[in-house]
Amino acid sequence: MAKRILYAIPALALLFTVIYLHGLYAKVAVALTAVICMHEVMRACAAVARPLRGVGFAYAALIYPAFEFAGGFMGIALLTVLGMIAVLIALVVTKRDAVDGLLTALSMMYPGLFFVFIIALLASPPPDVSRFLLIIAFGAAVVTDTFAYLTGILFGRHKLLPAVSPKKTVEGAAGGLLFGAGAVTVFGLVLTEPFGIRPIPLLWYALLGAVLSILSQFGDLAASYMKRRFGIKDFGRLMGEHGGAMDRLDSVLFICPAVFAFYLLFAA
């Protein structure tokens, strides 16, 4: 446990600076993290195929410039189409197996396309609103993951999906859901005024928290499913006992699109 805490400190420090320093620094940090996650996923895919690493890395590296300088989501749509064209051309020219192209496309979508929504949250004006949204997204993931783990250890009796993740329990999932929804409700209660957020009924924050907690747990399960299919324990060892960057961000990647939808509906 002590070793896990020590490895978590740099990641938490990075998260703190991304949220509060914000701006160009945060966007570049997220873009670099996207490249690291792309590397981890494509390395995992290499267990069953030969993904087109050059295309995948280029896509991840260009996500931030495409969003920032080419019209937001329209730039991302153009980048994605050009990426898929590059995959198809590479398959034709090199005569690689279609599975190589399919797993390259999968890596472009996940984690690639999911990172767009973290950048979109960073770009949501004004900066204090963006910070609030990031606190909601990462806070929901951290609280859900932490209390699902603790509740599972203390009260876990019934396996949730043993074929996908043998250690997860129904009781742990319920604990993560309860505390995750509660945390988002508290964020809504305490932080809306200091961050200049338009007030909405707390019930909406409770519902948002429940949705985010469920998505967080499915994000974790989806990553576990992929790792099991690829025959690996973790996507990487960047964070020691915590695994790689993807192992820490799998929940957040599922959460951020929902937080951005919340922003468009209630905070924009």
Side-chain angles (χ1 to χ4, degrees), residues 3 34 44 51 69 81 100 108 121 170 209 225 262:
K3 190 179 290 188
F69 304 112
V81 171
D100 299 343
M108 289 165 59
L121 292 178
V170 173
Y225 172 80
F262 168 79

Side-chain angles (χ1 to χ4, degrees), residues 81-101:
V81 171
L82 291 176
M84 292 304 301
I85 290 173
V87 169
L88 293 171
I89 289 175
L91 289 179
V92 171
V93 171
T94 63
K95 298 180 181 179
R96 297 268 283 272
D97 193 284
V99 175
D100 299 343

